[in-house]
């Protein structure tokens, strides 16, 4: 049971580059979420999706793009990376909107 | 702005003691509450969830919810050094299934 997997686990890139973080879940959960976690700010929601082809903004969506063409995948793209986007990114999923969310192992992203 | 507040700690307790972690929230309409444990460098791991007023017990963990006072707490009985972690309180936003997280309380259990 793979659960929810994120890739890559670590990524170093340069400012201005496009980078995509992948998230895949095998539970057939309807909801998927992207968070970033920074010291002093805790977990902040970037985008979420209630179902395939349905996405919505969270607290900090600027500079990020998401898509959800298939229920199991929810990639997060930084179109033109900036140093302020250096962070740890977590993907999560839940069966329904009121159900607990389960997190992937995270991607540590550094932008130089 | 809907908020979830936690004491950042660190909260230090001796091994075998009861650790009490508290959380308050601003949205009176919130219905679902979650506690996550996060070890350093790891992802958040669900420990408990509670939807109704009162207590919910699972092994050494007890979640307590008081909607009238807008607080939720987590008690850890017989605390172990392996319980040392940051504990995140999360409250479901009634709009769209989003969770609002507190900043977390760092717990240190001393042998």
């Amino acid at each position: 049971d793979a659960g929810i997997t994120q890739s890559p686990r670590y990524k170093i890139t340069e400012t201005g580059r496009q980078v995509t973080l992948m998230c895949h879940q095998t539970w057939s959960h309807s909801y998927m979420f992207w968070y970033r976690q920074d010291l002093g700010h805790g977990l902040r929601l970037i985008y979420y999706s209630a179902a395939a082809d349905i996405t919505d903004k969270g607290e900090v969506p600027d500079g990020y793009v998401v898509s959800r063409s298939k229920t199991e995948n929810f990639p997060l793209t930084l179109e033109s990376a900036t140093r302020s986007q250096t962070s740890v990114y977590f993907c999560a999923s839940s069966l329904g909107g009121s159900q607990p969310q389960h997190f992937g192992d995270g991607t540590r992203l550094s932008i130089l | 702005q809907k908020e979830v507040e936690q004491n950042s700690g660190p909260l230090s307790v001796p091994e075998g003691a009861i650790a009490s972690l508290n959380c308050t929230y601003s949205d009176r309409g919130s219905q679902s509450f979650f506690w996550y444990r996060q070890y350093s460098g790891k992802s958040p791991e669900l420990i408990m969830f509670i939807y109704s007023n009162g207590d919910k017990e699972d092994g050494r963990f007890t979640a307590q919810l008081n909607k009238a006072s807008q607080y939720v707490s987590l008690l850890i009985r017989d605390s172990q050094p392996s319980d040392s972690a940051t504990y995140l309180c999360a409250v479901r936003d009634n709009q769209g299934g989003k969770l609002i997280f507190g900043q977390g309380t760092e717990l240190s259990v001393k042998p």
Side-chain angles (χ1 to χ4, degrees):
Chain A
D1 183 0
I4 183 166
T5 56
Q6 294 184 236
S7 61
R9 291 294 314 280
Y10 304 91
K11 177 75 176 178
I12 300 174
T13 191
E14 297 175 337
T15 56
R17 299 230 181 205
Q18 182 180 81
V19 59
T20 296
L21 309 183
M22 304 301 293
C23 180
H24 174 79
Q25 52 102 357
T26 60
W27 292 313
S28 299
H29 283 176
S30 295
Y31 281 75
M32 296 187 75
F33 306 84
W34 274 108
Y35 295 89
R36 59 178 291 173
Q37 188 173 38
D38 306 285
L39 280 174
H41 290 282
L43 276 166
R44 292 183 291 174
L45 182 66
I46 304 170
Y47 269 97
Y48 68 105
S49 168
D53 298 321
I54 300 175
T55 62
D56 208 346
K57 296 178 180 179
E59 182 185 354
V60 289
D62 293 343
Y64 302 95
V65 175
V66 294
S67 63
R68 193 154 176 223
S69 58
K70 293 183 177 182
T71 300
E72 61 266 31
N73 296 324
F74 191 38
L76 175 74
T77 298
L78 289 66
E79 292 189 303
S80 179
T82 65
R83 289 195 180 91
S84 65
Q85 293 176 310
T86 291
S87 186
V88 180
Y89 291 85
F90 289 106
C91 179
S93 71
S94 65
L95 184 60
S98 62
Q99 300 300 309
Q101 293 181 19
H102 300 275
F103 285 78
D105 288 337
T107 294
R108 187 174 295 274
L109 178 63
S110 295
I111 300 165
L112 307 178
Chain B
Q1 181 85 10
K2 297 172 183 176
E3 295 182 341
V4 176
E5 300 283 343
Q6 293 182 256
N7 188 329
S8 62
L11 173 66
S12 183
V13 300
E15 184 175 356
I18 296 176
S20 178
L21 305 161
N22 300 311
C23 172
T24 59
Y25 58 95
S26 63
D27 184 4
R28 186 169 289 277
S30 296
Q31 299 292 324
S32 307
F33 307 86
F34 306 87
W35 282 101
Y36 287 83
R37 177 177 63 198
Q38 187 175 24
Y39 292 113
S40 180
K42 301 295 185 182
S43 62
E45 172 192 10
L46 179 72
I47 298 176
M48 297 279 292
F49 58 91
I50 186 167
Y51 300 149
S52 303
N53 268 334
D55 296 359
K56 179 181 179 182
E57 187 174 318
D58 184 1
R60 295 187 297 113
F61 299 97
T62 299
Q64 299 175 319
L65 174 60
N66 184 322
K67 290 185 180 180
S69 300
Q70 294 176 238
Y71 83 78
V72 57
S73 61
L74 178 71
L75 301 179
I76 306 175
R77 290 182 300 280
D78 189 23
S79 295
Q80 301 297 310
S82 59
D83 295 325
S84 297
T86 296
Y87 290 80
L88 303 170
C89 172
V91 177
R92 178 177 169 262
D93 187 331
N94 284 333
Q95 298 175 346
K98 297 178 290 184
L99 289 182
I100 303 168
F101 282 86
Q103 296 271 352
T105 297
E106 183 183 351
L107 173 66
S108 176
V109 181
K110 303 296 187 183

